[in-house]
Amino acid sequence: MKAAVYDRTGGPEVLRYADVPDPVAGPGDVLVGVEAVSIEGGDTLSRAGGEMGTAPHIVGYQCAGTVVAVGSEVGGFAVGDRVVTVGLDGSHAELRAVPTPFCWAVPDGLSTEEAACVPVPFGTADDCLFEFGRLQAGETALVHAGASGVGIAAVQLAARAGARVLATASSDDKLARLAALGLDDGINYAATDFVAEVRRLTDGRGADVIVDSVGGTTLQGSLRALAYRGRCITVGDAGRDALEQLDVSTLRPNNQSLTGYFLGAELFLSPRPHAVIAGHLADVAAGRLSVVIDRRFALSEAAAAHAYIESRQAFGRVLLVP
Ligand SMILES: NC(=O)c1ccc[n+]([C@@H]2O[C@H](COP(=O)([O-])OP(=O)(O)OC[C@H]3O[C@@H](n4cnc5c(N)ncnc54)[C@H](OP(=O)(O)O)[C@@H]3O)[C@@H](O)[C@H]2O)c1
């Protein structure tokens, strides 16, 4: 099969389009003919400096397509089914083998491309806001990088739960587009001090729940922007400047918490998030939640697609089409 691979981590230019051996479906796996790859934030970070299990390495968490073979122990999926899949790597390819607990049927009425964009961002955003953040109606949520995959999902989920939604982004244009998805107040964190702005917008209270996928100095600011009893969930390092030391001294006097979150662990250890994500797929199919696709590149142009994402122009997802 063809795949976008790299032999060493680095900039987008390390990606090359190559022939590699087809993956083989194990007894509990489905083999999927990939039709749409959603490039996740973690994919660009993995390519830049993540672990490489193999060389050449096929990066990528999430893709969707049609089942072309099933393992001997697989029930519930058959050849011809449309599915969306999640794994630690292997999405940037024409074929992917995945165990069925990391596979969802694509509901009727939902395009394969849209389905490709759902599980990781929506599952992550939902867990950060509710399972770990315990967000309640009437509370204030702050979503960092609101125009990102996780951000667009979190803005919508927080808004429909009846929370007041604040979000940051690096441009006013991105913030303007988030208004249609449920954003109440946008903060351009390239132009203003977001901590002061959160305090101003909340009459000094701060945010009850913060979903922080940016990390580094932004995460330090998030701890300063929490309300009394506020909950900050650290979920990523999209800012690429992880701090060596985080000052947590403001948490204790204010009964606040900082929680780490990793969707992969939840999916491995419990059937709960699989069902939550199936609900998101049904909601997107029914128009109750939206997926935003920014643009498409051919799989052979994966390097250009990664470079475009890292230029920070994208609003929502960038797809690769094999
Ligand atoms: N722990 C988990 O289970 C889990 C699950 C999903 C995602 N994540 C992590 O969450 C983060 C976001 O994922 P995503 O899929 O939402 O990402 P994404 O769609 O690629 O968006 C990343 C966002 O980060 C912001 N950003 C800030 N500094 C940046 C920089 N130096 N370079 C590029 N972008 C920068 C950009 O927004 P602005 O330009 O507006 O700042 C961009 O929209 C990633 O670190 C990912 O690994 C973790």
Side-chain angles (χ1 to χ4, degrees):
M1 68 169 180
K2 291 284 192 186
V5 304
Y6 49 80
D7 305 290
R8 58 180 172 82
T9 57
E13 69 283 355
V14 299
L15 284 160
R16 61 185 176 88
Y17 192 54
D19 287 301
V20 294
D22 289 0
V24 177
D29 295 349
V30 293
L31 185 65
V32 179
V34 177
E35 291 156 28
V37 180
S38 162
I39 304 177
E40 300 299 301
D43 297 353
T44 56
L45 287 165
S46 294
R47 188 223 67 236
E51 301 251 326
M52 286 177 57
T54 55
H57 181 70
I58 305 173
V59 76
Y61 285 109
Q62 183 159 273
C63 60
T66 301
V67 176
V68 295
V70 295
S72 56
E73 296 170 7
V74 168
F77 292 99
V79 171
D81 288 350
R82 291 190 307 135
V83 293
V84 54
T85 69
V86 166
L88 292 177
D89 52 31
S91 78
H92 286 36
E94 288 180 323
L95 291 168
R96 183 192 221 183
V98 195
T100 53
F102 301 92
C103 200
W104 292 259
V106 177
D108 290 343
L110 183 62
S111 72
T112 305
E113 284 195 343
E114 287 178 300
C117 305
V118 172
V120 171
F122 281 90
T124 300
D126 202 308
D127 267 3
C128 289
L129 290 169
F130 305 113
E131 182 74 9
F132 291 86
R134 306 185 308 282
L135 181 68
Q136 301 291 320
E139 289 191 321
T140 298
L142 171 66
V143 177
H144 280 302
S148 66
V150 172
I152 285 173
V155 166
Q156 294 177 75
L157 292 169
R160 82 170 182 181
R164 178 182 182 197
V165 187
L166 315 183
T168 62
S170 61
S171 76
D172 292 338
D173 178 53
K174 288 181 179 180
L175 293 169
R177 295 181 64 182
L178 286 171
L181 296 167
L183 180 69
D184 291 304
D185 294 285
I187 301 169
N188 182 335
Y189 62 174
T192 53
D193 173 4
F194 81 85
V195 179
E197 199 55 11
V198 169
R199 293 277 170 211
R200 186 186 70 78
L201 288 165
T202 57
D203 297 327
R205 274 193 74 249
D208 299 294
V209 174
I210 300 180
V211 179
D212 191 325
S213 63
V214 175
T217 51
T218 298
L219 179 60
Q220 186 66 77
S222 292
L223 301 188
R224 303 284 186 266
L226 280 175
Y228 179 72
R229 287 194 176 212
R231 291 84 70 193
C232 177
I233 316 299
T234 170
V235 65
D237 286 311
R240 291 150 168 80
D241 71 340
L243 285 179
E244 285 184 12
Q245 286 192 323
L246 190 67
D247 177 1
V248 296
S249 61
T250 51
L251 297 183
R252 191 168 52 218
N254 296 296
N255 289 326
Q256 297 160 335
S257 62
L258 171 65
T259 303
Y261 178 74
F262 175 44
L263 175 66
E266 289 296 302
L267 282 170
F268 267 111
L269 296 171
S270 155
R272 181 195 60 81
H274 192 281
V276 171
I277 289 166
H280 298 142
L281 286 161
D283 284 345
V284 177
R288 293 186 290 268
L289 292 171
S290 299
V291 156
V292 180
I293 295 173
D294 179 280
R295 71 167 67 172
R296 297 159 184 80
F297 290 81
L299 178 60
S300 57
E301 295 172 5
H306 277 228
Y308 172 67
I309 291 169
E310 291 184 335
S311 74
R312 297 173 75 170
Q313 297 169 74
F315 182 88
R317 276 291 173 249
V318 175
L319 298 186
L320 294 175
V321 182

